[in-house]
Amino acid sequence: MSTSPRDRTLIEGPLTKHAQLSDALAELAARELGPGAAIPSERDLMATYGVSRATVRKAIDGLVSDGLLRRVHGKGTFVSTPRLESRLHLASFSQDMRRRGLEPSTRLLSVELDEPPTEVVHALGLDGDGTAWRVDRVRLADGEPIALEHGWYPRALLPGLDRHDLGGSLYELFADVFDAPIDAAEQTLWGETADAATARRLDAPLNTPLLVFRRVSSSAGRPMEHVVSRYRGDRYQIHMSLGRDDLGQRRNTAERKKKR
């Protein structure tokens, strides 16, 4: 019969007490508490395991860094919800979430004709009156905010876009209504921290780490979308399968040919 992690005794030995406490807390989070649950207070942990406040804080700090726990200012420390993992592929947010068995939804913040920045003008090949549709949305999975999107879309290729339901997949809308299925994209990824406005819209603490994607998507060679999506780094992660770059092999082959 297994014992509760709460009953574990910390002993002097090769493994430091803060490491033993870290293991006990990780087991407690997995076996008894579950995602979203609060862990015991520092005072309770000190009394339960007979350790100092410094030991408790060091153990918790390590688990926060590992992503197993998260601190909420003024409320306490909680078991983290496992991150959603995505493989880099051409799919809409809605498609991505449905593949995981999650229900995608959208909070539309605004849709309007506006003058885009120079970067967007070049990316979308815009001309004419210089305006494009700007669509700002919060994307949710099972009701939880995951990403904040700021997108630009060419007015000439998507007339009357603001008259359509923008609460679902825009890629499905482009294919079904405008006969313009997205079939290619260029994407760049970088990291940021959430400013006050972004944190508020994502229901996240200030300075939450973000994964930021800039994607330029096209249909049959026509640029259709320039979107910057900011994903909560504490709720989303990326998986990539990597292969060996054959550049070195080609260089070695070329050098051998030169020596012949």
Side-chain angles (χ1 to χ4, degrees), residues 16-250:
T16 63
K17 286 192 174 182
H18 84 262
Q20 295 178 59
L21 179 57
S22 179
D23 290 345
L25 288 176
E27 188 177 350
L28 180 67
R31 286 177 48 186
E32 297 186 18
L33 298 179
I39 68 168
S41 67
E42 290 184 359
R43 187 182 299 276
D44 288 342
L45 291 173
M46 291 165 59
T48 299
Y49 295 100
V51 293
S52 68
R53 186 179 298 274
T55 296
V56 169
R57 288 184 175 175
K58 192 169 185 179
I60 292 175
D61 286 346
L63 294 175
V64 170
S65 296
D66 290 342
L68 182 63
L69 301 180
R70 62 184 180 92
R71 286 193 177 94
V72 179
H73 182 68
K75 295 183 178 180
T77 304
F78 299 82
V79 180
S80 297
T81 302
R83 289 183 176 91
L84 301 172
E85 181 173 284
S86 176
R87 294 175 180 267
L88 292 178
H89 57 285
L90 183 57
S92 69
F93 178 90
S94 297
Q95 293 169 330
D96 197 15
M97 294 303 109
R98 290 190 193 111
R99 287 173 181 172
R100 309 167 194 282
L102 302 173
E103 182 62 31
S105 58
T106 299
R107 185 181 301 148
L108 180 63
L109 301 177
S110 66
V111 53
E112 60 183 343
L113 285 172
D114 199 356
E115 184 175 343
T118 301
E119 177 188 19
V120 175
V121 172
H122 292 326
L124 297 182
L126 299 177
D127 52 20
D129 65 4
T131 61
W133 296 110
R134 173 167 179 162
V135 180
D136 296 336
R137 307 190 298 171
V138 176
R139 312 307 302 275
L140 305 93
D142 282 353
E144 181 177 359
I146 299 295
L148 175 63
E149 293 181 350
H150 298 296
W152 291 92
Y153 304 90
R155 178 183 187 181
L157 299 179
L158 301 166
L161 182 64
D162 60 336
R163 296 196 297 270
H164 294 277
D165 180 9
L166 304 181
S169 168
L170 293 185
Y171 286 9
E172 293 175 6
L173 177 68
F174 296 166
D176 296 342
V177 176
F178 296 96
D179 192 26
I182 298 298
D183 53 25
E186 294 290 332
Q187 185 163 273
T188 304
L189 167 66
W190 67 90
E192 288 182 4
T193 56
D195 59 20
T198 300
R200 183 174 61 254
R201 287 170 173 167
L202 291 177
D203 192 21
L206 183 66
N207 295 324
T208 291
L210 303 173
L211 291 173
V212 187
F213 298 84
R214 180 178 61 226
R215 177 183 284 194
V216 178
S217 306
S218 59
S219 175
R222 300 172 300 174
M224 299 290 294
E225 172 187 57
H226 180 289
V227 62
V228 176
S229 303
R230 290 175 168 83
Y231 283 75
R232 287 184 55 165
D234 60 342
R235 293 290 293 112
Y236 196 82
Q237 64 187 25
I238 295 296
H239 175 86
M240 291 172 280
S241 296
L242 305 177
R244 181 179 177 182
D245 190 336
D246 66 351
L247 178 60
Q249 182 179 350
R250 293 200 303 270

